[in-house]
Amino acid sequence: MLAQTRRHLLLAATAAGIAFAAGAAAAEPVNLGVSIPAATHSFMGGINYWANRAKKDLEAQHKDLKITIRTAANATEQANQLQDLSTVNKINALVVFPFESAALTRPVANVKAKGAYVTVVDRGLTDTSAQDAYVAGDNTAFGKIPAEYIVKTLNGKGNVVALRGIPTTLDNERMDAFNAVLKAHPDIKLLDAKYANWNRDDAYKVTQDFLTRFKDIDAIWAADDDMAFGAIRAIDQAGRKDIKVIFGGAGAKDMVKTILDGKDPRIQANVSYSPKFIYDAIKLTAEARLKGEKLPATTIIPSVLIDKSNAKDFYHADSPF
């Protein structure tokens, strides 16, 4: 009887120890690194704003959470910063918005190999085994919605030019979706599509080239509102009156305000893609890791058409973007 009692006590003690260990694992402090591009244009300004807002809000809510944010001006700098986050800051979780897909895949994989939980945001890697989770807007809809709008507005016939971002998986998704719609409408001709690096000045120069080479353009699609603003400057300076549609993307507040005011007949619609998803990605990752949990492999935030009917819902006057 005594031996049986001792055995029960030993089992109880062992169970309690296991429960304590499990609780300790779930409550392990999270040292979260956030690696994002620098605020070189307004969308990235929004990304930086929402990342820092997440750090402020979440560290105030969770005493066992530390967030370190690093911003990079190029892919090489970001790769170096990722190494420092891993070896110097000794992060055990990472939220990364890659500057470029191919160039950052190996550096991110190296962080994961050292035991960090990795959430990739927006610009996917070329090898998804380098990540644990992926959070992004709907890049397929981002390309499909403008193409459908342009086809409808031009009544299925006209000439189009396009401004791409930089070589990334998300840019490919947007362009592929745009092309898929146009393929079903052979009287819509895509005259050219060039990279403008999600940059106003680069878009201005690329659009100048388009305007010089093509004497009849009915619509221009810019896969980002910063590029759309650069294109508008080039078009207005050239005095071109043939362009009926200018369609950007991501719902920049100035673009949404233009739709609301109805002051530019060329700009009647946009597609949503808020930089706030970096906040969501940081929050989801931090809170999951604090509980010892994982995120779904993929989380996609929907992109929708913005027009006069719903533009007020996408206008945020205090936002940097």
Side-chain angles (χ1 to χ4, degrees), residues 69-101:
I69 299 174
R70 295 286 182 266
T71 63
N74 53 58
T76 300
E77 184 178 13
Q78 188 173 32
N80 292 334
Q81 289 176 352
L82 286 169
Q83 183 176 2
D84 287 345
L85 283 169
S86 185
T87 59
V88 178
N89 299 98
K90 300 188 183 305
I91 60 171
N92 55 16
L94 171 69
V95 173
V96 57
F97 190 130
F99 203 96
E100 296 175 8
S101 296

Side-chain angles (χ1 to χ4, degrees), residues 90-235:
K90 300 188 183 305
I91 60 171
N92 55 16
L94 171 69
V95 173
V96 57
F97 190 130
F99 203 96
E100 296 175 8
S101 296
L104 272 301
T105 296
R106 178 60 66 85
V108 172
N110 290 340
V111 175
K112 187 174 187 295
K114 292 179 181 178
Y117 182 89
V118 175
T119 299
V120 173
V121 181
D122 197 52
R123 299 176 188 170
L125 303 175
T126 55
D127 180 3
T128 56
S129 68
Q131 68 196 35
D132 293 286
Y134 177 64
V135 178
D138 188 344
N139 287 293
T140 297
F142 192 102
K144 180 182 178 183
I145 288 170
E148 290 176 339
Y149 181 89
I150 288 170
V151 168
K152 182 178 179 180
T153 304
L154 299 182
N155 294 315
K157 186 175 183 178
N159 295 325
V160 181
V161 292
L163 298 170
R164 304 184 63 168
I166 62 177
T168 53
T169 57
L170 77 88
D171 183 79
N172 291 339
E173 289 170 12
R174 292 175 179 182
M175 195 71 227
D176 289 348
F178 189 84
N179 282 329
V181 173
L182 297 195
K183 188 176 180 180
H185 301 274
D187 289 333
I188 297 285
K189 306 295 184 184
L190 181 63
L191 301 176
D192 201 357
K194 281 194 170 183
Y195 292 109
N197 307 311
W198 290 311
N199 180 279
R200 293 191 187 204
D201 291 337
D202 290 350
Y204 171 75
K205 294 172 185 175
V206 171
T207 305
Q208 283 185 315
D209 174 66
F210 287 158
L211 297 175
T212 299
R213 291 193 291 126
F214 305 117
K215 301 306 179 185
D216 184 15
I217 300 172
D218 296 290
I220 183 165
W221 172 53
D224 173 87
D225 281 331
D226 274 308
M227 295 191 297
F229 286 122
I232 291 166
R233 181 160 64 98
I235 292 165

Side-chain angles (χ1 to χ4, degrees), residues 1-11:
M1 182 70 177
L2 181 60
Q4 187 177 12
T5 301
R6 286 177 176 171
R7 182 170 176 271
H8 287 161
L9 288 172
L10 180 60
L11 288 172

